[in-house]
Amino acid sequence: MDGDDGNDAGGDWIWVRPPQEAEAASAAAGWPVEDARPLKVVFASPARYFTDAAPIGNGRLGALVWGGVASERLQLNHDTLWTGGPGNYTNPKAPAVLSNVRSLVDKGQYAEATAVAYDLSGEQTQVYQPLGDINIAFGEDIRYTNYERYLDLESATANVTYNVGEVTYSREHFSSHPHQVIATKISADKSGALSCTVSLATPLDHRIRVTDANEIIMEGSCPGERPAGDENAFDHSKGIRFCAILYLQMSGANGTVQVLNDKMLKLDGADSVVLLLAAATSFEGPFVQPSESTLDPTTSAFTTLNMARSMSYSQLKAYHTDDYQSLFQRVSLQLSRGSNDMLGGSTSAHSPDNISQDTAVSDCAIQMAACSRLNELSNSEKPTVDRIVSFIHDEDPSLVELLFQFGRYLLISCSRPGTQIANLQGIWSNDTEPPWDAAPHPNINLQMNYWPSLPCNLSECQEPLFDFIGSLSVNGAKTSKVNYGANGWVSHQVTDLWAKTSPDAGDPSWALWPMGGPWLATHLWEHYSFTMDKQFLEKTAYPLLEGSASFLLSWLIEGQRGYLETNPSTSPEHYFIAPNGKQACVSYSTTMDMSVIREVFSAVLLSADILGKSSTDVVQRIKKALPRLPPVQISRDGTIMEWAQDFKDPEVQHRHVSHLFGLYPGHTMTLEQTPDLCKAVANSLYKRGDEGPGWSTAWKMALWAHLHNSEHAYKMILQLITLVDPEHEVSKEGGLYSNLFTAHPPFQIDANFGFPAALSEMLVQSTGSDLYLLPALPRDKWPQGFVKGLKARGGLTVNICWKEGSLHEALLWSGSSQNSLARVHYGSHSATIGVSPGQVYRFNSDLKCLKSWPL
């Protein structure tokens, strides 16, 4: 690597960068500098299961580090490694079926309509595939002590250390975004003590060769079609081609490397070794068949590798750290129970009864706060699995902080500009037939993956979603025209690398849901409302929003009640009991449909006003259609009516809360404007219950936050932070695995993203004109704390500090001259404000602006 021996004799490279905006603003305001708590996911032993391993990633290339002693395994993924190729997402027979379904719905024959709607189904998605494994064998029956393994969120590195006799071995792994490689450094503190055998493996069709330059080259291809489910049915067609190259750089005067079986590299007597893994595929976009791709993955992988190995390991790490921290360090969070509550262990030694009567009260408080701080720090070093188990008893706030930042870490690690969207497992999968194909599901799961990107100050990480929506609009225009005779573009409940837009195969309760595309389109407007990027609104967002609205205008039809209706219509994955006693899922104008349509129409109207497009035909049609949409209704039991009629619900504790979309992430229900509907939302949540998969828990947490019910929002945190045993998973009962991955179960990454989004909503909420500080802070649980760097609509950044359960100070600033912030709210206090770009405003607990200064 650039001629050095891997030891970086020139010394470690360290970037020194200016402080992040949020930290600079706090420093200028004179806020005290708090010692950061360690942000580590800690393990006491090597991984036994996929969900014990430590995830690393650069958006495109991911790995799970298992941390074994006798053998290390890095399970590899590449974001474009999928089965199949572009498909035909149209069904010429669909219009006749659609007409039949609509007729049955109009007659109130909902069970019959449901049965016929199966014929509107399409094909299954393609399947996300694992790249393979780096295997590093150190020997057998190794006796070791002092084992440590942890994932450091501050540096995005996975680390393993242990002793064998008097020798300390250490490993460090990271996935570099600047250089697009996975880098591993293995070292021993005794010269010549490192020996191992390195190899690559994959479950896909492949061949492996080794060069004289210490390179293991693995080339292969994905299946040309999704697995058939029949072990005897082998797919001989070739799909996406791939290449992974593992390069080994040894240090140590007496170390040797030899080739074994033309497939492995054997290292003996080294001081340390650096491994670099580069990988590429032949994926050339969602509209290019694998057989027609002009990309050579081997050439691409070598190009990437050659650039990376021209640098020393410390240079690679310095670039990696700088790139990662430029995103991660934008937001800091500290939650504390204050001086009257210690975490972990016995508190009697430091209770007031055991402190000298000569000690002043203030000194007593300082001692107790210091004790609490020490306990919080020691908790951070405990195995995370133990912290999850004990959370029901100690409710350790630092674990909440860790889970919040872990979600941000994962988003940075699996979704970057130019990569694919985060799928159902982010980028981390170890199975050729993963649960639900690891396919993105736009009936909640894909959207939740990107909920934290804006409020948690990671807007760049959402860019792959906008690229993907653009691809959906191309295929979706064909689906819309052929299947439904409609304008614009449509997408349904599940999709894949190839931007599938047709309905899924199977039950219409999930497959027949053309609101997937419209819901995704709302993210385009949200991105503008947070960033105030007018060029993005004009060039990217508005054309896609207009196309989605055009579909919806075509999809709406005259109904029997005098409204514009959607027919057929489903509430995702939820059945009802029709008036004739039969179960059905197909009816008309579900609350979810109407809520999504209102959001899209509203986004188009607001965008058109900004861009000077208010006179267009689409805008005029929307203005006529909006007042004709059915209103949200309240059922006999005081809950939000999920369907257009007050059908009996056979599963009142169903996991989806789709009918509450208007409160969050939508904007058509608010405590100020629709208090009766919000009361019905609360009744609906009580009726649904608190249990459910991880993503359901996170959504409920955000909904309770928007009802300003801090107690119940916090209850959802307790619900989520429970340990899931991989050997005894209970269907649809969520929680956390030992590596903090969230469970449906099995593992689904959506709740890892839903959690930081929901927590941010507990601390800051916003509209275009109003900013709400600490709207759902659980004051008795976290009476002291701060958050720095959260984002709000209008291009705002917010820092908040609270003490004794109440707002102490807030700082806010905007980088945009387009922001329309008019009011700031805290509890019963409100203040009118105008914000100039680049100015920091400092507010006290009464929302009095104490001063302002240039950022």
Side-chain angles (χ1 to χ4, degrees):
M1 298 174 63
D2 197 23
D4 69 27
D5 64 359
N7 277 332
D8 302 328
D12 288 346
W13 277 46
I14 300 175
W15 294 107
V16 179
R17 91 168 65 80
Q20 294 280 357
E21 263 191 10
E23 292 296 338
S26 294
W31 287 17
V33 178
E34 302 283 349
D35 292 334
R37 292 173 181 153
L39 290 172
K40 295 181 179 179
V41 184
V42 180
F43 307 89
S45 60
R48 293 179 59 202
Y49 304 98
F50 171 79
T51 50
D52 297 330
I56 58 174
N58 61 23
R60 175 168 289 113
L61 189 59
L64 280 158
V65 180
W66 288 59
V69 173
S71 63
E72 173 65 282
R73 178 189 183 194
L74 274 72
Q75 191 273 309
L76 305 170
N77 290 101
H78 191 285
D79 68 339
T80 63
L81 216 50
W82 285 70
T83 64
N88 176 10
Y89 307 120
T90 64
N91 178 6
K93 298 179 181 180
V97 178
L98 177 64
S99 178
N100 191 9
V101 170
R102 283 176 167 169
S103 177
L104 291 168
V105 168
D106 284 342
K107 296 174 184 176
Q109 297 177 344
Y110 303 115
E112 292 77 4
T114 298
V116 173
Y118 273 85
D119 291 335
L120 291 172
S121 297
E123 300 295 327
Q124 291 178 287
T125 63
Q126 294 298 330
V127 185
Y128 187 51
Q129 299 291 283
L131 175 58
D133 299 305
I134 300 174
N135 293 308
I136 310 169
F138 296 96
E140 298 181 3
D141 300 324
I142 297 175
R143 295 180 179 272
Y144 62 93
T145 58
N146 301 325
Y147 181 90
E148 293 182 10
R149 179 166 67 97
Y150 61 90
L151 174 67
D152 187 344
L153 303 189
E154 287 286 358
S155 61
T157 58
N159 300 269
V160 181
T161 64
Y162 56 90
N163 288 357
V164 177
E166 296 182 355
V167 181
T168 299
Y169 292 90
S170 62
R171 307 176 202 153
E172 182 178 62
H173 313 269
F174 62 86
S175 186
S176 165
H177 179 256
H179 292 95
Q180 292 296 304
V181 293
I182 289 174
T184 290
K185 184 172 185 178
I186 309 172
S187 56
D189 67 353
K190 180 181 178 182
S191 179
L194 179 60
S195 299
C196 60
T197 301
V198 182
S199 61
L200 290 176
T202 179
L204 303 177
D205 183 34
H206 71 283
R207 68 185 185 94
I208 291 175
R209 55 192 171 94
V210 181
T211 73
D212 293 335
N214 292 348
E215 298 159 344
I216 304 175
I217 302 171
M218 180 170 70
E219 298 164 305
S221 62
C222 290
E225 291 296 335
R226 62 173 287 123
D230 181 356
E231 294 183 1
N232 297 317
F234 184 77
D235 177 19
H236 293 280
S237 62
K238 299 291 185 182
I240 291 173
R241 292 173 291 117
F242 66 88
C243 175
I245 306 171
L246 184 65
Y247 170 69
L248 181 152
Q249 173 69 53
M250 174 199 68
S251 72
N254 299 314
T256 62
V257 181
Q258 59 179 307
V259 177
L260 294 182
N261 303 322
D262 198 32
K263 290 186 177 182
M264 296 178 284
L265 291 172
K266 189 174 188 301
L267 176 71
D268 283 306
D271 297 346
S272 68
V273 64
V274 172
L275 303 175
L276 299 181
L277 188 285
T281 78
S282 62
F283 178 71
E284 203 168 351
F287 311 123
V288 179
Q289 291 287 349
S291 60
E292 298 173 2
S293 172
T294 60
L295 297 180
D296 179 1
T298 303
T299 299
S300 299
F302 265 114
T303 300
T304 299
L305 179 62
N306 289 337
M307 184 173 293
R309 64 183 169 187
S310 69
M311 298 189 149
S312 69
Y313 179 82
S314 65
Q315 288 174 318
L316 287 173
K317 185 181 176 184
Y319 277 105
H320 156 74
T321 304
D322 181 67
D323 167 78
Y324 169 75
Q325 290 182 346
S326 69
L327 296 170
F328 184 77
Q329 290 184 346
R330 291 176 182 174
V331 175
S332 56
L333 172 69
Q334 190 170 112
L335 307 172
S336 177
R337 295 214 249 178
S339 60
N340 292 322
D341 200 354
M342 280 71 70
L343 298 178
S346 171
T347 63
S348 60
H350 299 275
S351 67
D353 292 339
N354 288 284
I355 294 177
S356 169
Q357 294 181 4
D358 296 329
T359 304
V361 173
S362 58
D363 292 337
C364 171
I366 290 170
Q367 289 182 35
M368 294 176 70
C371 173
S372 175
R373 184 79 180 131
L374 286 171
N375 279 312
E376 289 167 356
L377 288 170
S378 76
N379 262 14
S380 300
E381 301 298 331
K382 290 180 181 177
T384 303
V385 66
D386 294 342
R387 298 176 68 189
I388 297 170
V389 170
S390 64
F391 189 79
I392 191 67
H393 305 294
D394 63 28
E395 299 182 29
D396 175 8
S398 65
L399 183 57
V400 178
E401 297 169 19
L402 182 66
L403 188 58
F404 171 86
Q405 294 288 20
F406 183 64
R408 296 182 67 249
Y409 164 82
L410 290 176
L411 188 58
I412 296 169
S413 301
C414 75
S415 185
R416 292 290 199 101
T419 72
Q420 301 305 305
I421 52 173
N423 64 45
L424 203 61
Q425 295 184 188
I427 50 173
W428 298 279
S429 174
N430 65 340
D431 197 341
T432 56
E433 298 183 51
W436 299 286
D437 305 325
H441 282 60
N443 69 351
I444 173 58
N445 315 98
L446 176 56
Q447 288 87 346
M448 185 176 285
N449 282 3
Y450 287 97
W451 281 0
S453 60
L454 294 170
C456 296
N457 212 336
L458 295 171
S459 62
E460 302 94 326
C461 294
Q462 201 174 15
E463 289 185 23
L465 181 64
F466 305 141
D467 296 338
F468 188 70
I469 293 172
S471 298
L472 289 176
S473 72
V474 175
N475 287 335
K478 301 170 187 175
T479 306
S480 174
K481 182 177 180 179
V482 175
N483 288 33
Y484 304 130
N487 299 319
W489 65 274
V490 66
S491 184
H492 292 76
Q493 154 267 353
V494 68
T495 184
D496 57 22
L497 178 74
W498 308 104
K500 168 185 161 64
T501 52
S502 55
D504 193 14
D507 193 325
S509 70
W510 66 74
L512 182 57
W513 199 67
M515 294 295 128
W519 187 353
L520 287 173
T522 66
H523 283 242
L524 297 157
W525 168 253
E526 289 290 359
H527 186 80
Y528 170 77
S529 70
F530 273 82
T531 65
M532 310 304 290
D533 184 342
K534 189 173 179 180
Q535 183 176 7
F536 168 83
L537 182 67
E538 182 176 10
K539 302 297 184 182
T540 301
Y542 189 78
L544 294 169
L545 276 164
E546 187 179 57
S548 181
S550 295
F551 166 75
L552 294 172
L553 288 166
S554 298
W555 184 245
L556 288 164
I557 59 176
E558 293 287 343
Q560 296 178 342
R561 303 180 295 172
Y563 293 117
L564 291 176
E565 312 270 15
T566 55
N567 174 9
S569 179
T570 61
S571 191
E573 304 183 27
H574 198 186
Y575 272 74
F576 59 86
I577 298 176
N580 63 3
K582 296 180 180 178
Q583 285 206 10
C585 63
V586 174
S587 61
Y588 61 96
S589 298
T590 61
T591 299
M592 177 57 149
D593 275 14
M594 292 301 145
S595 298
V596 171
I597 291 170
R598 281 191 173 87
E599 291 291 332
V600 174
F601 283 178
S602 173
V604 172
L605 294 182
L606 290 168
S607 302
D609 284 345
I610 294 166
L611 300 174
K613 298 178 181 290
S614 296
S615 60
T616 64
D617 177 64
V618 169
V619 170
Q620 295 306 311
R621 290 173 63 200
I622 288 173
K623 289 180 177 179
K624 292 177 182 177
L626 261 173
R628 297 195 59 206
L629 299 179
V632 177
Q633 301 178 80
I634 299 175
S635 64
R636 292 186 299 272
D637 64 2
T639 61
I640 295 291
M641 196 180 294
E642 188 166 354
W643 298 276
Q645 295 184 35
D646 199 359
F647 296 127
K648 185 176 180 181
D649 187 347
E651 191 180 356
V652 295
Q653 295 187 329
H654 191 267
R655 60 197 175 278
H656 282 260
V657 285
S658 307
H659 53 314
L660 310 183
F661 172 94
L663 179 64
Y664 182 86
H667 306 282
T668 54
M669 301 181 197
T670 66
L671 285 169
E672 291 84 358
Q673 300 296 324
T674 59
D676 290 343
L677 290 179
C678 286
K679 182 179 179 181
V681 169
N683 291 337
S684 300
L685 286 169
Y686 285 123
K687 183 178 180 179
R688 273 292 200 262
D690 295 335
E691 294 184 355
W695 59 262
S696 179
T697 302
W699 195 354
K700 292 169 185 173
M701 179 178 161
L703 288 164
W704 282 117
H706 274 260
L707 294 173
H708 295 187
N709 188 323
S710 60
E711 180 181 353
H712 221 114
Y714 185 80
K715 192 175 181 182
M716 293 297 95
I717 295 175
L718 290 170
Q719 184 75 27
L720 184 63
I721 303 181
T722 56
L723 185 66
V724 175
D725 181 351
E727 288 190 347
H728 301 96
E729 294 175 338
V730 179
S731 177
K732 301 172 187 174
E733 288 188 13
L736 303 177
Y737 295 101
S738 69
N739 66 356
L740 291 185
F741 274 167
T742 52
H744 182 283
F747 162 53
Q748 275 185 206
I749 204 166
D750 35 33
N752 280 119
F753 300 131
F755 181 81
L759 185 56
S760 72
E761 297 296 327
M762 294 173 69
L763 302 177
V764 175
Q765 294 174 22
S766 63
T767 67
S769 58
D770 291 81
L771 179 69
Y772 299 85
L773 305 178
L774 306 180
L777 174 71
R779 290 165 173 80
D780 59 329
K781 302 296 184 180
W782 311 325
Q784 296 188 164
F786 66 78
V787 65
K788 302 174 186 176
L790 288 183
K791 287 288 189 176
R793 291 171 180 83
L796 291 170
T797 310
V798 184
N799 290 4
I800 308 172
C801 173
W802 63 94
K803 296 182 179 181
E804 297 180 358
S806 298
L807 175 67
H808 177 63
E809 278 193 358
L811 309 176
L812 62 93
W813 62 97
S814 175
S816 171
S817 60
Q818 306 298 317
N819 81 81
S820 55
L821 179 66
R823 292 168 296 276
V824 180
H825 307 267
Y826 168 66
S828 60
H829 298 285
S830 294
T832 302
I833 183 177
V835 176
S836 299
Q839 286 287 117
V840 180
Y841 297 82
R842 182 180 183 182
F843 292 87
N844 66 9
S845 58
D846 296 322
L847 296 186
K848 179 182 178 181
C849 186
L850 301 176
K851 64 180 293 189
S852 66
W853 64 90
L855 182 64

